[in-house]
Amino acid sequence: MSRSRIIIREQTNHVISLSYSPSACSNFILHFIKNMDSFQDDKEQRSIMAMVSNIINKVDDDWLSSNYPNNLCIQIFHKVQPSVAFCFLYNIINNARKDAHNLILLIFDQLIRGNCFSRMLTYEMKNIDENVRLRQDSLITFLLSLPDVFANKIRPPQRSHALHHDRYYVMLGVQICRSLDEITEKDVGEINVSFLARVLSQISTRGKTDAVFQVIFPYLCCINNKKLQLIMHRVLESITTGMESILIYIFKTCTEPCILEKVLGKLVVVNKRVENVLLSRLLYNKHYNKLDILLNIFYYIHAVSPTSLSKVLKKSLQVWSMSAFIPTTPFEQHIYISGVILSCVRHLTCDVIDGSIRSQLMEMLMQGVRHHLDSPDANLRNVAMVTAERVTDLLQFSTDQKLRFDCIEDNNDVIKKLRDVFERPVRGEVDDSFIEKQSDIYKNFVRQFSSTSANNSSSVDIVTSPLTYTVGARTANEIQANVMTSRGCDDDGGELDSDDDDDDDEFEAMHIPIEKPFNKHKPPMYIRDFMEGICEKDMEVEKFELYIYSLNDLIERSQHQIKEVSTQLCHMVLNLDNKFDLEDLQRIRKEALAGILVADPKRVCEFLANEFYSEHYTVSTRLEILDVIVIATGRLNTTPLPERNSPAVQEIAASEVKNGGQQEDLSWRQIVDDRIEKKTRRFSTKPKGRSVKIVAASKLTDIGGWLFYPFIEKYDRKIRTLDMMESDSMILSHLIRAVTVVCQASANCPMGTKMALDALGFIHSLLHHQEKVVIRSLIYSLPVIIRPLLPHIEDDDVILQRVLATRQWLCDVIEGRGDSQSAEGACVVLAMIQKQMSDVMDAK
C-alpha cells in the first residue's frame, strides 16, 4: 500500500475513533486541503471525498451551520478533480440529511462560480482512455439528472435558482462553450469528442435541446477558429441518438441559410443516420406550418450534397401522385410536400436530371395533377397548378411552350406561401449584422451566468472570509417586510387604522373540512386486493401511493383474513420496492410488518427469523426486521387477551379487598360519612390506602418465546452475506438490544425467568467480543436481563456463576478493556446490579 493511502486511512480512522467530533472533522478536511498536491490519483481523491461525505452526514448540526466548516468544505471540493467533486456532490445530495441542505446549496453555488462544470467537461474531453467510458456514462447521467435530484431531495424554500430545469440547461450550454474555448486556447492534442457527443445526445433525449442549443448555436455561428469548427463537426457526426431534434432546432432557428455549412459541416454526407433524418423524416414524416425550414434544409443539401436533390424530387413526386395521398392526408401536409417539391426544383437545373428518369418524373407529375384537379377543394387544385407549372419548367428543354394555369392568386395565402418558397432570394454570404446579432445573444447568456467574484471564487480565504450566499428562499428582512405589509403599515412604520378593532372572541370558528386529494383509483377493500394490485407491472404513481398509505388501516380491519395469507403478505411487504421514491415507505413497511406479526405471531415470527438468517438480504433489511420485532413487542404487551382467556382489567378498592370483595348494602348515614371522608382534607404522614390493580394478561404472555428463541438460535452461524461474530457487528448489537426489549416486556410472563436465563447465556457467550458497539450493547442489556434472575440466585448455581462472570467482565471493562464511554457505562451498570442484589438479600 502506498504512503498516501496509508495517510488517508490513518486520518479516516482518527475521525471515526473520535466519533466525528467537530474539531476532528475540521482538521481532517484542512489537512487534505493543504496537502492535496500529494494526492492526485483518482482513487485517492475519491477515498478522501467519501470520508467528507460521511462527515457531512454524521457531524453535529452546529458544525454544518458555521462559516469556517462551510469554507473548508468549499475548498476541498475546489481542490479535487472536477469530475470527482461533481460525483460526490451528487451522492451527497442523494443521501444527505436535511440539516446539510444549506451547505449543499452553498457548495453547488461556489462550484458554478468556479466554473467547475466547464473544467469537468474539459478534463473529460482530454481523457482519451477507452477504459473510462463506463465512468463517463455515469457522470453524464449525474450531470443531466441533477435538477431532478434537487427537486426530489431538497424541498422549497431551500432551492437554488440555477437548478430550475430550463435555466440549468442554459447554464450547461454556457459551460460547454467555455470548455471548448479552453481546449482551443491550450492547444490540446487529441480530443475525446465522443464524450461531448454523448452529453448532447442525452440532452436531446431528455427534451432539452432548445434550452442548450439556444446558447450553442449562436456560439457556433460566431466562431472563426478552424480547429474549433472541425471539433464541433466531429462532435455532431458522433451523435447517435437525438440528432433529429438538434437538426430541427437549427433549421427552424437559422435565418441565414448560408451559415449552415459552417455550423454543420459535411454532416449529411458523413453520417448516414443524419442523411436518413434530413432526407426522409424531416420531409415526409413531419410537416411545419412555416416553410422557412425548407429553405434552410435544401440550401444546406444543395451546398453539401447536390446529387441528393434529384432523389428527393423523385420520392416527393411519387408520394404527391398517389391516389390515396389526397383523401388520407391533412391539407397542411399537402402544402408541405408541395413545398418540398418546389424547393428541389429551385436548386436543380435541367442538365442535372438524367434523361432516363425525366420521363418517369413527368409521368408521376401528370398523374398527381390529375388527382388534384379532380378534387372538389379549390385550394388543393391551386396547389397542384402552382406545383405543376414549376416542375414542368424544370423538366422541359424547350422554353417557348410553358405549362400555365388560370388560377386566381389574389388574396390566396396558400399560393403566396408556395411561391415564396420558390422565389424568396437567399444571400450567398453571411451578413455581418447576423453575426453581430448572434454574438450579442451568446454574450448575453454568458453575462447571465457570470459573477464579479467568479474569478476569485477558487481562492476563498479558508479561515477568515465568510461566504455570503442567498438560497431560493426569501431573506428574513423580506419576510418581515411582507409581514408588515400584510398587517398594514403606513409610511412612518405605524399601524394603519382599521375598522375591525372589536374583539371577535365570541364568534365560533367555522369548521373547514380537510379536503382529500382526488384519485381516480379505488383503495383496496381486502388484503387479497392489495396483494394482487401491488404486483402490477405498469402501476401508476397515484395508485402505488394509494395502496401503500392504505395498507396499515387494511391490516387493522382484516385481522382474521391475514392469518390465511400472513407469510405471503409478510414476504411481499418485506421485499416491496420503493420504485417511486416515497419518503414514508420504510416507516409504513415497519408498521405493516408489525401489524401482521401481531395478527399471526407464531408463523410470522418463524418466517422473519428464517428471512433474517437468509443470505438474500442486505444489512438494512435485517436491521428493519429487528425494528419490527421491537415494535410488535410493544403492541403485543399492550394488547389484552380476550375475556374468555383472562379477566378484564379492574381496580378494587382497599376496603373491598379487606372484606373479600363483597359489598354490603350501605345505610344513608354511612353514605353521608363516606362523602364527608372523601371531601375532607387531612394533613398526615400516614400513607393512604392504595387501590390494588389487577392487570389482565397481554397477548405477549403466550407467545413471548416466539419473538425470542428463533433469533438467538443461529446467531453464530456464518453465511455468505452475514457474519455477526466478525464483520457484521452492527447487526449483532441491534440483535442484543431487540432481545433485551423482548425479555423486559416478558418479565411477568410464565416463561419470563427461563427467557432471562437463556438471554444471559446468550450474552455470556458474547463477552469475548472486541467491537465497541457490541460491548456497549451488552452493557445496556445486562441490568434488564439480570434483574428477574436475582431472586433465584441462591437456589440456582448456574445463575450464580453467570452473574459472577458478568460482574468480572464489567470490572475488566472498567479497568481498560473498553473505551471511556464503555467504562462509564460499566460503572453505572455494576452499581445497579450490586444495588439490586442487596435489595433482594434484604427482602429475604
Side-chain angles (χ1 to χ4, degrees):
M1 184 180 295
S2 62
R3 174 63 181 168
S4 57
R5 295 192 179 183
I6 294 175
I7 294 174
I8 295 173
R9 177 169 294 184
E10 290 176 352
Q11 292 289 333
T12 302
N13 293 336
H14 177 68
V15 175
I16 296 175
S17 64
L18 295 179
S19 301
Y20 293 90
S21 64
S23 59
C25 295
S26 299
N27 293 333
F28 176 88
I29 298 176
L30 185 60
H31 173 80
F32 288 105
I33 289 175
K34 294 179 179 179
N35 302 283
M36 188 57 71
D37 294 337
S38 304
F39 303 92
Q40 292 300 316
D41 184 66
D42 185 76
K43 294 183 179 179
E44 296 173 355
Q45 292 190 358
R46 289 180 180 275
S47 300
I48 295 170
M49 295 306 297
M51 188 58 193
V52 173
S53 302
N54 291 334
I55 288 174
I56 293 176
N57 283 325
K58 296 182 180 181
V59 75
D60 293 340
D61 298 343
D62 296 337
W63 190 87
L64 294 174
S65 59
S66 302
N67 287 335
Y68 176 71
N70 290 349
N71 293 339
L72 292 179
C73 292
I74 294 170
Q75 284 295 304
I76 195 70
F77 272 90
H78 277 293
K79 287 290 184 179
V80 297
Q81 296 175 5
S83 57
V84 175
F86 179 76
C87 286
F88 277 92
L89 176 63
Y90 180 88
N91 292 334
I92 291 173
I93 296 169
N94 234 352
N95 304 310
R97 50 181 176 169
K98 293 183 179 180
D99 299 326
H101 287 177
N102 284 332
L103 175 59
I104 292 171
L105 291 174
L106 182 61
I107 294 172
F108 178 77
D109 180 75
Q110 292 301 319
L111 290 179
I112 292 178
R113 291 171 181 266
N115 294 327
C116 177
F117 287 89
S118 62
R119 291 190 292 114
M120 178 193 66
L121 294 170
T122 303
Y123 176 81
E124 296 299 335
M125 281 192 284
K126 291 179 182 177
N127 194 346
I128 59 175
D129 188 3
E130 292 293 336
N131 297 325
V132 300
R133 182 180 179 88
L134 184 62
R135 180 184 63 80
Q136 287 182 346
D137 289 340
S138 301
L139 187 63
I140 293 170
T141 303
F142 295 161
L143 178 69
L144 302 184
S145 60
L146 191 60
D148 296 326
V149 174
F150 258 92
N152 291 331
K153 298 296 182 181
I154 299 182
R155 304 298 182 189
Q158 294 172 322
R159 190 75 58 80
S160 175
H161 292 301
L163 286 166
H164 184 273
H165 280 71
D166 291 340
R167 183 174 176 82
Y168 174 79
Y169 281 98
V170 172
M171 182 271 295
L172 194 58
V174 173
Q175 299 294 331
I176 291 173
C177 297
R178 284 178 176 172
S179 65
L180 292 171
D181 288 336
E182 185 176 351
I183 288 175
T184 308
E185 292 174 0
K186 294 183 178 180
D187 195 15
V188 181
E190 188 176 356
I191 297 174
N192 184 6
V193 296
S194 156
F195 174 75
L196 184 55
R198 280 177 282 155
V199 172
L200 296 178
S201 178
Q202 290 295 323
I203 289 173
S204 179
T205 304
R206 292 172 180 263
K208 299 298 180 181
T209 306
D210 293 0
V212 175
F213 272 84
Q214 65 178 325
V215 181
I216 295 181
F217 178 71
Y219 172 78
L220 296 178
C221 293
C222 299
I223 57 175
N224 294 318
N225 190 310
K226 297 295 183 181
K227 180 180 178 181
L228 186 54
Q229 291 179 7
L230 181 60
I231 291 173
M232 284 307 303
H233 293 166
R234 291 174 56 197
V235 169
L236 294 175
E237 292 167 6
S238 303
I239 296 176
T240 56
T241 58
M243 194 64 200
E244 181 177 347
S245 61
I246 295 175
L247 291 175
I248 289 174
Y249 178 83
I250 292 176
F251 285 121
K252 287 179 66 176
T253 306
C254 182
T255 58
E256 293 288 338
C258 50
I259 198 69
L260 291 172
E261 186 177 0
K262 175 183 177 181
V263 174
L264 300 176
K266 305 290 184 180
L267 188 59
V268 70
V269 179
V270 178
N271 195 325
K272 293 296 182 182
R273 190 187 301 271
V274 174
E275 181 182 1
N276 177 60
V277 170
L278 201 58
L279 301 182
S280 179
R281 293 183 61 85
L282 294 186
L283 299 183
Y284 307 113
N285 295 351
K286 296 179 180 293
H287 69 274
Y288 302 92
N289 293 328
K290 293 184 178 180
L291 301 183
D292 296 345
I293 187 173
L294 293 177
L295 288 173
N296 294 328
I297 290 175
F298 282 97
Y299 190 95
Y300 173 70
I301 295 174
H302 174 68
V304 177
S305 179
T307 56
S308 303
L309 292 175
S310 57
K311 299 178 182 178
V312 174
L313 178 60
K314 181 179 179 180
K315 185 175 181 179
S316 302
L317 284 175
Q318 186 177 1
V319 173
W320 193 76
S321 62
M322 294 173 58
S323 59
F325 177 70
I326 296 175
T328 60
T329 307
F331 180 68
E332 292 78 7
Q333 185 77 27
H334 282 279
I335 301 176
Y336 188 75
I337 295 296
S338 300
V340 171
I341 296 172
L342 294 177
S343 299
C344 289
V345 172
R346 174 174 182 166
H347 295 283
L348 284 173
T349 59
C350 185
D351 300 334
V352 176
I353 300 176
D354 190 6
S356 59
I357 66 170
R358 187 187 304 274
S359 59
Q360 297 179 11
L361 296 178
M362 184 64 74
E363 182 180 354
M364 287 187 291
L365 174 66
M366 292 297 105
Q367 185 178 359
V369 170
R370 180 170 59 84
H371 290 320
H372 281 76
L373 293 180
D374 290 341
S375 173
D377 190 348
N379 288 326
L380 278 179
R381 295 196 297 270
N382 290 333
V383 168
M385 295 176 188
V386 175
T387 305
E389 288 178 357
R390 301 306 176 185
V391 175
T392 53
D393 290 346
L394 173 67
L395 298 179
Q396 289 179 347
F397 286 104
S398 175
T399 59
D400 297 335
Q401 299 179 354
K402 293 184 179 181
L403 178 63
R404 290 293 180 266
F405 292 93
D406 295 332
C407 58
I408 302 174
E409 300 185 12
D410 297 338
N411 299 324
N412 194 320
D413 296 334
V414 175
I415 295 179
K416 289 182 180 179
K417 183 184 293 187
L418 291 176
R419 291 193 182 279
D420 182 65
V421 172
F422 186 80
E423 299 174 355
R424 185 193 300 181
V426 178
R427 284 191 292 266
E429 295 182 357
V430 182
D431 190 8
D432 293 338
S433 61
F434 174 78
I435 299 296
E436 292 177 359
K437 181 181 178 181
Q438 299 301 319
S439 177
D440 293 339
I441 293 173
Y442 173 68
K443 290 178 181 178
N444 185 31
F445 282 119
V446 173
R447 197 178 301 113
Q448 290 180 16
F449 294 95
S450 298
S451 175
T452 55
S453 60
N455 297 328
N456 300 327
S457 61
S458 59
S459 59
V460 180
D461 191 356
I462 297 177
V463 179
T464 60
S465 298
L467 294 172
T468 59
Y469 179 75
T470 303
V471 296
R474 297 174 297 174
T475 61
N477 293 332
E478 292 173 342
I479 295 174
Q480 183 66 22
N482 289 340
V483 170
M484 295 298 293
T485 304
S486 63
R487 291 179 179 176
C489 298
D490 57 12
D491 296 337
D492 299 331
E495 295 185 0
L496 295 175
D497 295 334
S498 175
D499 297 334
D500 301 330
D501 294 335
D502 297 335
D503 189 9
D504 55 357
D505 292 340
E506 67 274 9
F507 297 108
E508 296 182 0
M510 183 178 65
H511 174 69
I512 301 177
I514 300 176
E515 296 183 1
K516 295 182 179 180
F518 172 75
N519 197 322
K520 61 182 180 180
H521 303 286
K522 294 182 179 180
M525 298 299 295
Y526 304 99
I527 285 294
R528 293 191 181 274
D529 295 342
F530 173 84
M531 296 176 66
E532 294 174 359
I534 204 69
C535 296
E536 293 182 2
K537 292 184 178 179
D538 300 328
M539 177 177 283
E540 298 180 2
V541 182
E542 294 80 4
K543 185 175 181 180
F544 184 77
E545 290 181 350
L546 181 65
Y547 272 56
I548 292 300
Y549 287 123
S550 61
L551 176 59
N552 288 320
D553 294 336
L554 192 60
I555 291 173
E556 291 181 4
R557 299 196 312 264
S558 310
Q559 295 290 315
H560 296 289
Q561 298 178 15
I562 288 177
K563 293 181 180 180
E564 301 175 1
V565 292
S566 57
T567 55
Q568 296 91 332
L569 179 61
C570 190
H571 181 270
M572 183 179 297
V573 175
L574 185 64
N575 295 275
L576 197 59
D577 184 22
N578 192 7
K579 52 187 175 182
F580 296 114
D581 197 19
L582 296 185
E583 293 183 355
D584 299 333
L585 182 62
Q586 187 175 9
R587 175 186 60 81
I588 294 173
R589 176 162 48 200
K590 289 180 182 180
E591 294 178 356
L593 289 172
I596 301 170
L597 195 152
V598 172
D600 191 8
K602 295 183 180 180
R603 281 192 291 183
V604 174
C605 284
E606 187 176 359
F607 171 79
L608 289 178
N610 293 334
E611 297 299 297
F612 180 81
Y613 288 105
S614 173
E615 63 178 13
H616 304 297
Y617 289 98
T618 61
V619 174
S620 60
T621 307
R622 302 183 203 276
L623 296 178
E624 194 169 326
I625 292 175
L626 295 176
D627 292 339
V628 170
I629 296 299
V630 174
I631 297 171
T633 301
R635 292 188 183 181
L636 289 169
N637 196 31
T638 56
T639 304
L641 290 172
E643 290 187 4
R644 63 177 182 271
N645 295 332
S646 65
V649 178
Q650 58 182 348
E651 293 188 3
I652 305 175
S655 60
E656 296 179 9
V657 175
K658 292 179 181 179
N659 296 330
Q662 297 179 358
Q663 293 185 351
E664 301 176 355
D665 294 336
L666 303 178
S667 63
W668 66 270
R669 186 175 295 277
Q670 189 173 354
I671 293 174
V672 173
D673 292 341
D674 290 343
R675 290 181 179 176
I676 293 173
E677 183 69 22
K678 185 178 180 181
K679 298 294 184 181
T680 303
R681 295 182 61 189
R682 291 184 175 86
F683 300 93
S684 174
T685 58
K686 296 181 181 180
K688 299 180 180 179
R690 299 179 180 177
S691 59
V692 180
K693 292 185 178 180
I694 302 175
V695 183
S698 64
K699 292 183 69 174
L700 190 64
T701 303
D702 298 332
I703 52 94
W706 289 94
L707 296 169
F708 177 78
Y709 288 106
F711 287 91
I712 65 171
E713 288 177 349
K714 309 174 186 178
Y715 72 93
D716 56 347
R717 178 178 296 181
K718 182 178 180 180
I719 59 178
R720 183 173 60 88
T721 57
L722 180 64
D723 185 9
M724 290 193 288
M725 302 304 293
E726 294 293 339
S727 58
D728 296 320
S729 56
M730 179 183 295
I731 301 178
L732 180 60
S733 67
H734 280 73
L735 177 61
I736 295 170
R737 294 174 184 268
V739 167
T740 304
V741 172
V742 175
C743 287
Q744 185 178 15
S746 306
N748 296 324
C749 298
M751 293 184 61
T753 305
K754 178 68 168 57
M755 291 172 60
L757 180 59
D758 294 336
L760 185 59
F762 166 67
I763 290 177
H764 189 266
S765 64
L766 299 174
L767 296 181
H768 65 280
H769 211 288
Q770 301 297 324
E771 289 293 335
K772 295 179 183 179
V773 64
V774 177
I775 294 174
R776 293 176 184 176
S777 298
L778 293 173
I779 293 172
Y780 157 79
S781 62
L782 282 174
V784 178
I785 294 175
I786 290 178
R787 183 173 183 177
L789 298 175
L790 292 178
H792 310 281
I793 194 171
E794 294 183 351
D795 302 330
D796 195 331
D797 293 337
V798 177
I799 296 176
L800 179 60
Q801 292 176 3
R802 289 182 178 177
V803 171
L804 293 177
T806 302
R807 291 180 60 191
Q808 182 60 41
W809 178 78
L810 290 173
C811 294
D812 294 342
V813 173
I814 295 172
E815 291 176 359
R817 180 177 172 183
D819 58 334
S820 58
Q821 294 183 1
S822 300
E824 293 177 2
C827 289
V828 175
V829 171
L830 187 61
M832 292 173 61
I833 295 176
Q834 189 65 33
K835 185 176 184 304
Q836 291 173 3
M837 293 180 65
S838 61
D839 293 342
V840 171
M841 296 302 178
D842 293 342
K844 291 185 177 181

